Amino acid sequence: MTSGRRPLSQRGRETLAGYLFVAPSVIGMFVFLVLPMIASLTISFFRVSGFGDYEFIGLDNYRTLLSDPVFASSLKTTGLFTLAFVPTLFTVSLCLALLVKKQRRGIGLLRSLFFAPNVVSLVVVGLVWQFLLTDHVGAVNRSLERMGLSGESWLGNPRYALFAVVVISVWFFMGYYMIIFLNGLQDIPSAYYEAARLDGAGRWRSFWNVTWPLLRPTSLFVLVMTTLTAIGAAGIFDLIYVMTKGGPDYSTQVVMFYIYQRAFQLNDFGYAAAMAAVVSFALMIIMFVMLRITKGGKVDA
């Protein structure tokens, strides 16, 4: 007796295997990303005390956002941080990748030294830099004084605190994005450089006409990830929490740190969820604009 079910064709088996391979990622995204986003958006329409009390208030949390000076200040700080952090990190990482691209003696050690900060916990990095930047007795100010320069209160002065956080953040992430740029550079066939050299192109023309266009997909990836890091405060939050707590005078209070304060220090979960929804929507718009401007990182034929 034979079964009435027809065996899957080769194409059908490959399609089924493809679905089975991506299923864990899709389920994980739905459980750990989509569901929390829906829950957060729902909570933003409630007043939530954190002790089990829920009260539907409609758009009141969003109306409060419009008149909240601290939220406006945190958005401004996030914008300043992003404008300073993203181009600086992009440029430094690309320059480091170009520097360590060629195989030569000791290049492995140099790459390891640049990447080393990234393997240390951000909490430890924050504590070490907080110690180094301590007023009067910190190693940075002592070094400046020995050179005849006056030290500053790097983390205590609102004029310098955000600058200090940007510099430390770039120092921490530069090795990671250097590796990504390095992989992109190594994927460019050497035949293109040989052809450019035969045409009489120097280093700058080779970089501008060969490296830069063929590195566009990698550049877009780095641009998107560093922007998400800056606005979403992935990694930056730890530094700010350890070093400045958002101060002095709100000068380092990025919007994610303000959301954390409203949710977990003031138990105002509904208002924090409304802020998170606005920031997420703004991030989606920024990513859409970036992809449109860069044409998705496609390389011109």
Side-chain angles (χ1 to χ4, degrees), residues 184-198:
L185 290 171
Q186 291 175 340
D187 284 341
I188 299 175
S190 58
Y192 290 109
Y193 292 106
E194 192 65 26
R197 191 181 63 81
L198 292 174

Side-chain angles (χ1 to χ4, degrees), residues 13 19 48 83 95 97 104-105 124 140 143 156-157 159 165 168 199-200 237 240 276 279 281 289 294 298 301:
R13 288 197 295 269
Y19 283 127
V48 185
L83 289 175
C95 290
R104 64 188 72 150
R105 191 174 183 181
V124 175
V140 173
S143 300
N157 189 330
R159 293 176 59 189
V165 174
I168 297 168
D199 286 343
F237 178 90
I240 292 175
V279 173
F281 184 67
V289 171
T294 59
K298 292 180 180 175

Side-chain angles (χ1 to χ4, degrees), residues 90 94 181 185 188 193 206-217 219 299:
F90 185 96
L94 179 57
F181 272 126
L185 290 171
I188 299 175
Y193 292 106
S206 292
F207 172 80
W208 192 247
N209 294 328
V210 178
T211 305
W212 184 249
L214 295 179
L215 201 60
R216 194 174 296 168
S219 300
V299 179

Side-chain angles (χ1 to χ4, degrees), residues 8-275:
L8 287 174
S9 63
Q10 177 69 22
R11 183 181 180 83
R13 288 197 295 269
E14 290 177 354
T15 303
L16 179 61
Y19 283 127
L20 290 176
F21 273 118
V22 301
S25 297
V26 172
I27 294 172
M29 281 186 61
F30 184 76
V31 172
F32 296 108
L33 187 65
V34 177
L35 282 182
M37 287 181 68
I38 294 173
S40 177
L41 185 63
T42 305
I43 289 173
S44 69
F45 298 107
F46 288 81
R47 179 178 290 115
V48 185
S49 67
F51 297 98
D53 299 326
Y54 291 82
E55 179 187 357
F56 181 75
I57 56 174
L59 296 174
D60 280 3
N61 282 326
Y62 292 93
R63 294 191 188 97
T64 305
L65 281 178
L66 300 176
S67 57
D68 184 352
V70 181
F71 179 66
S73 170
S74 64
L75 283 179
K76 179 183 175 184
T77 304
T78 303
L80 291 173
F81 180 87
T82 303
L83 289 175
F85 175 76
V86 173
T88 306
L89 180 59
F90 185 96
T91 306
V92 171
S93 302
L94 179 57
C95 290
L96 290 180
L98 292 169
L99 178 68
V100 301
K101 177 187 171 187
K102 287 187 177 180
Q103 288 291 343
R104 64 188 72 150
R105 191 174 183 181
I107 199 67
L109 176 62
L110 195 59
R111 291 174 182 173
S112 301
L113 288 175
F114 287 138
F115 187 76
N118 213 261
V119 301
V120 182
S121 163
L122 261 172
V123 174
V124 175
V125 169
L127 289 172
V128 170
W129 275 103
Q130 190 180 38
F131 173 73
L132 294 174
L133 295 174
T134 304
D135 299 352
H136 306 300
V137 296
V140 173
N141 279 342
R142 282 179 175 270
S143 300
L144 290 174
E145 289 170 1
R146 286 175 184 171
M147 292 186 288
L149 301 173
S150 60
E152 298 288 349
S153 179
W154 300 106
L155 300 179
N157 189 330
R159 293 176 59 189
Y160 303 116
L162 187 62
F163 169 76
V165 174
V166 169
V167 171
I168 297 168
S169 302
V170 170
W171 172 79
F172 179 80
F173 286 104
M174 66 181 187
Y176 176 77
Y177 289 105
M178 175 198 74
I179 296 297
I180 293 175
F181 272 126
L182 191 59
N183 286 332
L185 290 171
Q186 291 175 340
D187 284 341
I188 299 175
S190 58
Y192 290 109
Y193 292 106
E194 192 65 26
R197 191 181 63 81
L198 292 174
D199 286 343
R203 290 186 177 181
W204 172 247
R205 279 191 59 192
S206 292
F207 172 80
W208 192 247
N209 294 328
V210 178
T211 305
W212 184 249
L214 295 179
L215 201 60
R216 194 174 296 168
T218 307
S219 300
L220 174 65
F221 175 78
V222 172
L223 201 59
V224 169
M225 293 305 296
T226 51
T227 304
L228 287 174
T229 301
I231 299 177
I236 311 300
F237 178 90
D238 308 52
L239 279 178
I240 292 175
Y241 183 84
V242 172
M243 294 172 61
T244 64
K245 298 285 192 299
D249 194 24
Y250 302 109
S251 61
T252 60
Q253 190 178 50
V254 294
V255 68
M256 283 301 173
F257 192 80
Y258 183 45
I259 291 173
Y260 161 79
Q261 287 181 316
R262 294 302 296 243
F264 298 104
Q265 293 183 351
L266 302 177
N267 290 330
D268 196 355
F269 289 97
Y271 188 57
M275 287 191 287

